[in-house]
Amino acid sequence: IRRNDNEPFIVVGFQNNHDGYSNIKKQARWFNMAFNELKQRYSFNNFKAIGHSNGGLIYTAFLENYFNTTSNRLIRVNVLMTIGSPYNFAETLNRPTQMLKDFVKNRKNLPKYLTMYSVAGTKNYVADGIVPVSSVEAGKYIYQGAVRHYTQITVTGHLAQHSELPQNNQVLQLIEEYVLNNNRGRGPSPRN
């Protein structure tokens, strides 16, 4: 991080990127440890977050279970964008997983001021090749009505396969407009 850098990029990755609810809970604990270390080292008071795939699940578990602590009262997460996050794993909404049930139950712990964007990719009409669109859309049951703004966006076409989504031009434009912009998470800007 360079001196006087007001909005640096900090990437937290996990060598263990296995699926499963127990692993998501473990990684949320680990992310909390990394977050506390970064908070102590860099003394920031706000941040924006992007989580791809399980990264969005980890952020959700982190925000619901660790973020609203006394030591974080002066820190705001202004924007969260999740990309291809399987809030209900590979299940359809007809059978909510325990993780989705827990996320919905604990949504009251989410920051009320948060602006959240959930991006789904579709390689075909039902999935991005790995994650069913209905699983990404299940994020609305967690975030909609619990945070200030919730927007669900679907991208299609070239590079809309799950692993390719972070390189998809539409997704990159969404990141630039809604995460990297200067409007600080006030919701979507009006279009002409």
Side-chain angles (χ1 to χ4, degrees), residues 58-75:
I58 293 164
Y59 265 118
T60 301
F62 167 73
L63 291 174
E64 287 188 349
N65 299 303
Y66 299 102
F67 185 67
N68 284 329
T69 63
T70 305
S71 65
N72 289 338
R73 287 196 200 278
L74 300 177
I75 299 176

mmCIF file with all atom_site columns, all heavy atoms in Angstrom, residues 58-75:
data_model
loop_
_atom_site.group_PDB
_atom_site.id
_atom_site.type_symbol
_atom_site.label_atom_id
_atom_site.label_alt_id
_atom_site.label_comp_id
_atom_site.label_asym_id
_atom_site.label_entity_id
_atom_site.label_seq_id
_atom_site.pdbx_PDB_ins_code
_atom_site.Cartn_x
_atom_site.Cartn_y
_atom_site.Cartn_z
_atom_site.occupancy
_atom_site.B_iso_or_equiv
_atom_site.pdbx_formal_charge
_atom_site.auth_seq_id
_atom_site.auth_comp_id
_atom_site.auth_asym_id
_atom_site.auth_atom_id
_atom_site.pdbx_PDB_model_num
ATOM 1   N N   . ILE A 1 58 ? -18.570 -15.986 2.172  1.00 0.00 ? 58 ILE A N   1
ATOM 2   C CA  . ILE A 1 58 ? -17.688 -15.658 3.294  1.00 0.00 ? 58 ILE A CA  1
ATOM 3   C C   . ILE A 1 58 ? -17.973 -14.249 3.790  1.00 0.00 ? 58 ILE A C   1
ATOM 4   O O   . ILE A 1 58 ? -18.070 -14.020 4.993  1.00 0.00 ? 58 ILE A O   1
ATOM 5   C CB  . ILE A 1 58 ? -16.214 -15.844 2.887  1.00 0.00 ? 58 ILE A CB  1
ATOM 6   C CG1 . ILE A 1 58 ? -15.938 -17.329 2.636  1.00 0.00 ? 58 ILE A CG1 1
ATOM 7   C CG2 . ILE A 1 58 ? -15.272 -15.280 3.937  1.00 0.00 ? 58 ILE A CG2 1
ATOM 8   C CD1 . ILE A 1 58 ? -14.658 -17.606 1.862  1.00 0.00 ? 58 ILE A CD1 1
ATOM 9   N N   . TYR A 1 59 ? -18.134 -13.291 2.857  1.00 0.00 ? 59 TYR A N   1
ATOM 10  C CA  . TYR A 1 59 ? -18.482 -11.928 3.271  1.00 0.00 ? 59 TYR A CA  1
ATOM 11  C C   . TYR A 1 59 ? -19.821 -11.898 4.001  1.00 0.00 ? 59 TYR A C   1
ATOM 12  O O   . TYR A 1 59 ? -19.981 -11.194 4.996  1.00 0.00 ? 59 TYR A O   1
ATOM 13  C CB  . TYR A 1 59 ? -18.527 -10.969 2.074  1.00 0.00 ? 59 TYR A CB  1
ATOM 14  C CG  . TYR A 1 59 ? -17.246 -10.217 1.870  1.00 0.00 ? 59 TYR A CG  1
ATOM 15  C CD1 . TYR A 1 59 ? -16.515 -10.380 0.708  1.00 0.00 ? 59 TYR A CD1 1
ATOM 16  C CD2 . TYR A 1 59 ? -16.756 -9.344  2.834  1.00 0.00 ? 59 TYR A CD2 1
ATOM 17  C CE1 . TYR A 1 59 ? -15.331 -9.682  0.505  1.00 0.00 ? 59 TYR A CE1 1
ATOM 18  C CE2 . TYR A 1 59 ? -15.580 -8.651  2.650  1.00 0.00 ? 59 TYR A CE2 1
ATOM 19  C CZ  . TYR A 1 59 ? -14.869 -8.828  1.488  1.00 0.00 ? 59 TYR A CZ  1
ATOM 20  O OH  . TYR A 1 59 ? -13.699 -8.142  1.303  1.00 0.00 ? 59 TYR A OH  1
ATOM 21  N N   . THR A 1 60 ? -20.800 -12.659 3.506  1.00 0.00 ? 60 THR A N   1
ATOM 22  C CA  . THR A 1 60 ? -22.114 -12.683 4.158  1.00 0.00 ? 60 THR A CA  1
ATOM 23  C C   . THR A 1 60 ? -21.986 -13.231 5.576  1.00 0.00 ? 60 THR A C   1
ATOM 24  O O   . THR A 1 60 ? -22.501 -12.628 6.532  1.00 0.00 ? 60 THR A O   1
ATOM 25  C CB  . THR A 1 60 ? -23.104 -13.524 3.335  1.00 0.00 ? 60 THR A CB  1
ATOM 26  O OG1 . THR A 1 60 ? -23.201 -12.954 2.014  1.00 0.00 ? 60 THR A OG1 1
ATOM 27  C CG2 . THR A 1 60 ? -24.481 -13.550 3.980  1.00 0.00 ? 60 THR A CG2 1
ATOM 28  N N   . ALA A 1 61 ? -21.285 -14.346 5.734  1.00 0.00 ? 61 ALA A N   1
ATOM 29  C CA  . ALA A 1 61 ? -21.088 -14.922 7.074  1.00 0.00 ? 61 ALA A CA  1
ATOM 30  C C   . ALA A 1 61 ? -20.298 -13.967 7.964  1.00 0.00 ? 61 ALA A C   1
ATOM 31  O O   . ALA A 1 61 ? -20.610 -13.816 9.152  1.00 0.00 ? 61 ALA A O   1
ATOM 32  C CB  . ALA A 1 61 ? -20.373 -16.273 6.969  1.00 0.00 ? 61 ALA A CB  1
ATOM 33  N N   . PHE A 1 62 ? -19.296 -13.306 7.410  1.00 0.00 ? 62 PHE A N   1
ATOM 34  C CA  . PHE A 1 62 ? -18.502 -12.334 8.165  1.00 0.00 ? 62 PHE A CA  1
ATOM 35  C C   . PHE A 1 62 ? -19.377 -11.169 8.627  1.00 0.00 ? 62 PHE A C   1
ATOM 36  O O   . PHE A 1 62 ? -19.357 -10.797 9.808  1.00 0.00 ? 62 PHE A O   1
ATOM 37  C CB  . PHE A 1 62 ? -17.346 -11.823 7.298  1.00 0.00 ? 62 PHE A CB  1
ATOM 38  C CG  . PHE A 1 62 ? -16.665 -10.605 7.846  1.00 0.00 ? 62 PHE A CG  1
ATOM 39  C CD1 . PHE A 1 62 ? -15.834 -10.679 8.959  1.00 0.00 ? 62 PHE A CD1 1
ATOM 40  C CD2 . PHE A 1 62 ? -16.849 -9.371  7.245  1.00 0.00 ? 62 PHE A CD2 1
ATOM 41  C CE1 . PHE A 1 62 ? -15.205 -9.547  9.464  1.00 0.00 ? 62 PHE A CE1 1
ATOM 42  C CE2 . PHE A 1 62 ? -16.228 -8.229  7.734  1.00 0.00 ? 62 PHE A CE2 1
ATOM 43  C CZ  . PHE A 1 62 ? -15.408 -8.318  8.847  1.00 0.00 ? 62 PHE A CZ  1
ATOM 44  N N   . LEU A 1 63 ? -20.163 -10.599 7.726  1.00 0.00 ? 63 LEU A N   1
ATOM 45  C CA  . LEU A 1 63 ? -21.001 -9.450  8.085  1.00 0.00 ? 63 LEU A CA  1
ATOM 46  C C   . LEU A 1 63 ? -22.062 -9.823  9.116  1.00 0.00 ? 63 LEU A C   1
ATOM 47  O O   . LEU A 1 63 ? -22.368 -9.040  10.010 1.00 0.00 ? 63 LEU A O   1
ATOM 48  C CB  . LEU A 1 63 ? -21.660 -8.852  6.837  1.00 0.00 ? 63 LEU A CB  1
ATOM 49  C CG  . LEU A 1 63 ? -20.709 -8.159  5.863  1.00 0.00 ? 63 LEU A CG  1
ATOM 50  C CD1 . LEU A 1 63 ? -21.459 -7.742  4.598  1.00 0.00 ? 63 LEU A CD1 1
ATOM 51  C CD2 . LEU A 1 63 ? -20.034 -6.963  6.508  1.00 0.00 ? 63 LEU A CD2 1
ATOM 52  N N   . GLU A 1 64 ? -22.614 -11.011 8.999  1.00 0.00 ? 64 GLU A N   1
ATOM 53  C CA  . GLU A 1 64 ? -23.667 -11.421 9.931  1.00 0.00 ? 64 GLU A CA  1
ATOM 54  C C   . GLU A 1 64 ? -23.125 -11.842 11.295 1.00 0.00 ? 64 GLU A C   1
ATOM 55  O O   . GLU A 1 64 ? -23.805 -11.656 12.302 1.00 0.00 ? 64 GLU A O   1
ATOM 56  C CB  . GLU A 1 64 ? -24.477 -12.575 9.335  1.00 0.00 ? 64 GLU A CB  1
ATOM 57  C CG  . GLU A 1 64 ? -25.381 -12.155 8.212  1.00 0.00 ? 64 GLU A CG  1
ATOM 58  C CD  . GLU A 1 64 ? -26.317 -13.246 7.753  1.00 0.00 ? 64 GLU A CD  1
ATOM 59  O OE1 . GLU A 1 64 ? -26.147 -14.423 8.154  1.00 0.00 ? 64 GLU A OE1 1
ATOM 60  O OE2 . GLU A 1 64 ? -27.249 -12.936 6.989  1.00 0.00 ? 64 GLU A OE2 1
ATOM 61  N N   . ASN A 1 65 ? -21.929 -12.399 11.336 1.00 0.00 ? 65 ASN A N   1
ATOM 62  C CA  . ASN A 1 65 ? -21.443 -13.007 12.573 1.00 0.00 ? 65 ASN A CA  1
ATOM 63  C C   . ASN A 1 65 ? -20.278 -12.302 13.250 1.00 0.00 ? 65 ASN A C   1
ATOM 64  O O   . ASN A 1 65 ? -20.037 -12.542 14.432 1.00 0.00 ? 65 ASN A O   1
ATOM 65  C CB  . ASN A 1 65 ? -21.047 -14.464 12.300 1.00 0.00 ? 65 ASN A CB  1
ATOM 66  C CG  . ASN A 1 65 ? -22.216 -15.275 11.825 1.00 0.00 ? 65 ASN A CG  1
ATOM 67  O OD1 . ASN A 1 65 ? -23.227 -15.364 12.494 1.00 0.00 ? 65 ASN A OD1 1
ATOM 68  N ND2 . ASN A 1 65 ? -22.098 -15.844 10.642 1.00 0.00 ? 65 ASN A ND2 1
ATOM 69  N N   . TYR A 1 66 ? -19.545 -11.459 12.535 1.00 0.00 ? 66 TYR A N   1
ATOM 70  C CA  . TYR A 1 66 ? -18.333 -10.874 13.107 1.00 0.00 ? 66 TYR A CA  1
ATOM 71  C C   . TYR A 1 66 ? -18.248 -9.356  12.998 1.00 0.00 ? 66 TYR A C   1
ATOM 72  O O   . TYR A 1 66 ? -17.591 -8.722  13.809 1.00 0.00 ? 66 TYR A O   1
ATOM 73  C CB  . TYR A 1 66 ? -17.085 -11.465 12.426 1.00 0.00 ? 66 TYR A CB  1
ATOM 74  C CG  . TYR A 1 66 ? -16.962 -12.948 12.596 1.00 0.00 ? 66 TYR A CG  1
ATOM 75  C CD1 . TYR A 1 66 ? -17.314 -13.813 11.570 1.00 0.00 ? 66 TYR A CD1 1
ATOM 76  C CD2 . TYR A 1 66 ? -16.498 -13.497 13.791 1.00 0.00 ? 66 TYR A CD2 1
ATOM 77  C CE1 . TYR A 1 66 ? -17.209 -15.182 11.723 1.00 0.00 ? 66 TYR A CE1 1
ATOM 78  C CE2 . TYR A 1 66 ? -16.393 -14.865 13.956 1.00 0.00 ? 66 TYR A CE2 1
ATOM 79  C CZ  . TYR A 1 66 ? -16.751 -15.702 12.921 1.00 0.00 ? 66 TYR A CZ  1
ATOM 80  O OH  . TYR A 1 66 ? -16.650 -17.058 13.079 1.00 0.00 ? 66 TYR A OH  1
ATOM 81  N N   . PHE A 1 67 ? -18.874 -8.774  12.001 1.00 0.00 ? 67 PHE A N   1
ATOM 82  C CA  . PHE A 1 67 ? -18.635 -7.363  11.705 1.00 0.00 ? 67 PHE A CA  1
ATOM 83  C C   . PHE A 1 67 ? -19.227 -6.399  12.730 1.00 0.00 ? 67 PHE A C   1
ATOM 84  O O   . PHE A 1 67 ? -18.617 -5.393  13.060 1.00 0.00 ? 67 PHE A O   1
ATOM 85  C CB  . PHE A 1 67 ? -19.142 -7.014  10.299 1.00 0.00 ? 67 PHE A CB  1
ATOM 86  C CG  . PHE A 1 67 ? -18.817 -5.613  9.883  1.00 0.00 ? 67 PHE A CG  1
ATOM 87  C CD1 . PHE A 1 67 ? -17.507 -5.231  9.659  1.00 0.00 ? 67 PHE A CD1 1
ATOM 88  C CD2 . PHE A 1 67 ? -19.817 -4.677  9.722  1.00 0.00 ? 67 PHE A CD2 1
ATOM 89  C CE1 . PHE A 1 67 ? -17.184 -3.939  9.275  1.00 0.00 ? 67 PHE A CE1 1
ATOM 90  C CE2 . PHE A 1 67 ? -19.512 -3.385  9.346  1.00 0.00 ? 67 PHE A CE2 1
ATOM 91  C CZ  . PHE A 1 67 ? -18.196 -3.015  9.114  1.00 0.00 ? 67 PHE A CZ  1
ATOM 92  N N   . ASN A 1 68 ? -20.411 -6.681  13.234 1.00 0.00 ? 68 ASN A N   1
ATOM 93  C CA  . ASN A 1 68 ? -21.086 -5.757  14.156 1.00 0.00 ? 68 ASN A CA  1
ATOM 94  C C   . ASN A 1 68 ? -20.603 -5.936  15.589 1.00 0.00 ? 68 ASN A C   1
ATOM 95  O O   . ASN A 1 68 ? -21.371 -6.221  16.497 1.00 0.00 ? 68 ASN A O   1
ATOM 96  C CB  . ASN A 1 68 ? -22.608 -5.935  14.087 1.00 0.00 ? 68 ASN A CB  1
ATOM 97  C CG  . ASN A 1 68 ? -23.175 -5.315  12.845 1.00 0.00 ? 68 ASN A CG  1
ATOM 98  O OD1 . ASN A 1 68 ? -22.651 -4.329  12.340 1.00 0.00 ? 68 ASN A OD1 1
ATOM 99  N ND2 . ASN A 1 68 ? -24.248 -5.897  12.331 1.00 0.00 ? 68 ASN A ND2 1
ATOM 100 N N   . THR A 1 69 ? -19.311 -5.713  15.782 1.00 0.00 ? 69 THR A N   1
ATOM 101 C CA  . THR A 1 69 ? -18.737 -5.811  17.124 1.00 0.00 ? 69 THR A CA  1
ATOM 102 C C   . THR A 1 69 ? -18.354 -4.421  17.604 1.00 0.00 ? 69 THR A C   1
ATOM 103 O O   . THR A 1 69 ? -18.285 -3.471  16.826 1.00 0.00 ? 69 THR A O   1
ATOM 104 C CB  . THR A 1 69 ? -17.486 -6.701  17.125 1.00 0.00 ? 69 THR A CB  1
ATOM 105 O OG1 . THR A 1 69 ? -16.491 -6.088  16.295 1.00 0.00 ? 69 THR A OG1 1
ATOM 106 C CG2 . THR A 1 69 ? -17.794 -8.104  16.626 1.00 0.00 ? 69 THR A CG2 1
ATOM 107 N N   . THR A 1 70 ? -18.100 -4.298  18.863 1.00 0.00 ? 70 THR A N   1
ATOM 108 C CA  . THR A 1 70 ? -17.711 -3.008  19.445 1.00 0.00 ? 70 THR A CA  1
ATOM 109 C C   . THR A 1 70 ? -16.471 -2.454  18.766 1.00 0.00 ? 70 THR A C   1
ATOM 110 O O   . THR A 1 70 ? -16.396 -1.269  18.475 1.00 0.00 ? 70 THR A O   1
ATOM 111 C CB  . THR A 1 70 ? -17.453 -3.168  20.959 1.00 0.00 ? 70 THR A CB  1
ATOM 112 O OG1 . THR A 1 70 ? -18.617 -3.734  21.560 1.00 0.00 ? 70 THR A OG1 1
ATOM 113 C CG2 . THR A 1 70 ? -17.130 -1.838  21.595 1.00 0.00 ? 70 THR A CG2 1
ATOM 114 N N   . SER A 1 71 ? -15.509 -3.300  18.462 1.00 0.00 ? 71 SER A N   1
ATOM 115 C CA  . SER A 1 71 ? -14.261 -2.825  17.855 1.00 0.00 ? 71 SER A CA  1
ATOM 116 C C   . SER A 1 71 ? -14.444 -2.361  16.416 1.00 0.00 ? 71 SER A C   1
ATOM 117 O O   . SER A 1 71 ? -13.580 -1.690  15.871 1.00 0.00 ? 71 SER A O   1
ATOM 118 C CB  . SER A 1 71 ? -13.190 -3.916  17.919 1.00 0.00 ? 71 SER A CB  1
ATOM 119 O OG  . SER A 1 71 ? -13.573 -5.019  17.135 1.00 0.00 ? 71 SER A OG  1
ATOM 120 N N   . ASN A 1 72 ? -15.570 -2.701  15.785 1.00 0.00 ? 72 ASN A N   1
ATOM 121 C CA  . ASN A 1 72 ? -15.818 -2.290  14.400 1.00 0.00 ? 72 ASN A CA  1
ATOM 122 C C   . ASN A 1 72 ? -16.831 -1.161  14.288 1.00 0.00 ? 72 ASN A C   1
ATOM 123 O O   . ASN A 1 72 ? -17.212 -0.792  13.189 1.00 0.00 ? 72 ASN A O   1
ATOM 124 C CB  . ASN A 1 72 ? -16.312 -3.482  13.572 1.00 0.00 ? 72 ASN A CB  1
ATOM 125 C CG  . ASN A 1 72 ? -15.222 -4.489  13.325 1.00 0.00 ? 72 ASN A CG  1
ATOM 126 O OD1 . ASN A 1 72 ? -14.049 -4.174  13.389 1.00 0.00 ? 72 ASN A OD1 1
ATOM 127 N ND2 . ASN A 1 72 ? -15.614 -5.720  13.058 1.00 0.00 ? 72 ASN A ND2 1
ATOM 128 N N   . ARG A 1 73 ? -17.289 -0.604  15.383 1.00 0.00 ? 73 ARG A N   1
ATOM 129 C CA  . ARG A 1 73 ? -18.350 0.414   15.338 1.00 0.00 ? 73 ARG A CA  1
ATOM 130 C C   . ARG A 1 73 ? -17.990 1.619   14.480 1.00 0.00 ? 73 ARG A C   1
ATOM 131 O O   . ARG A 1 73 ? -18.866 2.260   13.937 1.00 0.00 ? 73 ARG A O   1
ATOM 132 C CB  . ARG A 1 73 ? -18.719 0.873   16.736 1.00 0.00 ? 73 ARG A CB  1
ATOM 133 C CG  . ARG A 1 73 ? -19.494 -0.159  17.510 1.00 0.00 ? 73 ARG A CG  1
ATOM 134 C CD  . ARG A 1 73 ? -20.161 0.483   18.721 1.00 0.00 ? 73 ARG A CD  1
ATOM 135 N NE  . ARG A 1 73 ? -20.492 -0.517  19.705 1.00 0.00 ? 73 ARG A NE  1
ATOM 136 C CZ  . ARG A 1 73 ? -21.574 -1.266  19.662 1.00 0.00 ? 73 ARG A CZ  1
ATOM 137 N NH1 . ARG A 1 73 ? -22.419 -1.130  18.686 1.00 0.00 ? 73 ARG A NH1 1
ATOM 138 N NH2 . ARG A 1 73 ? -21.800 -2.160  20.599 1.00 0.00 ? 73 ARG A NH2 1
ATOM 139 N N   . LEU A 1 74 ? -16.730 1.940   14.366 1.00 0.00 ? 74 LEU A N   1
ATOM 140 C CA  . LEU A 1 74 ? -16.318 3.116   13.604 1.00 0.00 ? 74 LEU A CA  1
ATOM 141 C C   . LEU A 1 74 ? -15.924 2.779   12.165 1.00 0.00 ? 74 LEU A C   1
ATOM 142 O O   . LEU A 1 74 ? -15.442 3.633   11.441 1.00 0.00 ? 74 LEU A O   1
ATOM 143 C CB  . LEU A 1 74 ? -15.155 3.823   14.317 1.00 0.00 ? 74 LEU A CB  1
ATOM 144 C CG  . LEU A 1 74 ? -15.472 4.310   15.727 1.00 0.00 ? 74 LEU A CG  1
ATOM 145 C CD1 . LEU A 1 74 ? -14.241 4.926   16.369 1.00 0.00 ? 74 LEU A CD1 1
ATOM 146 C CD2 . LEU A 1 74 ? -16.633 5.301   15.712 1.00 0.00 ? 74 LEU A CD2 1
ATOM 147 N N   . ILE A 1 75 ? -16.162 1.544   11.745 1.00 0.00 ? 75 ILE A N   1
ATOM 148 C CA  . ILE A 1 75 ? -15.832 1.115   10.387 1.00 0.00 ? 75 ILE A CA  1
ATOM 149 C C   . ILE A 1 75 ? -17.127 0.819   9.637  1.00 0.00 ? 75 ILE A C   1
ATOM 150 O O   . ILE A 1 75 ? -18.012 0.157   10.157 1.00 0.00 ? 75 ILE A O   1
ATOM 151 C CB  . ILE A 1 75 ? -14.930 -0.136  10.410 1.00 0.00 ? 75 ILE A CB  1
ATOM 152 C CG1 . ILE A 1 75 ? -13.625 0.178   11.132 1.00 0.00 ? 75 ILE A CG1 1
ATOM 153 C CG2 . ILE A 1 75 ? -14.656 -0.617  8.984  1.00 0.00 ? 75 ILE A CG2 1
ATOM 154 C CD1 . ILE A 1 75 ? -12.715 -1.013  11.292 1.00 0.00 ? 75 ILE A CD1 1
#
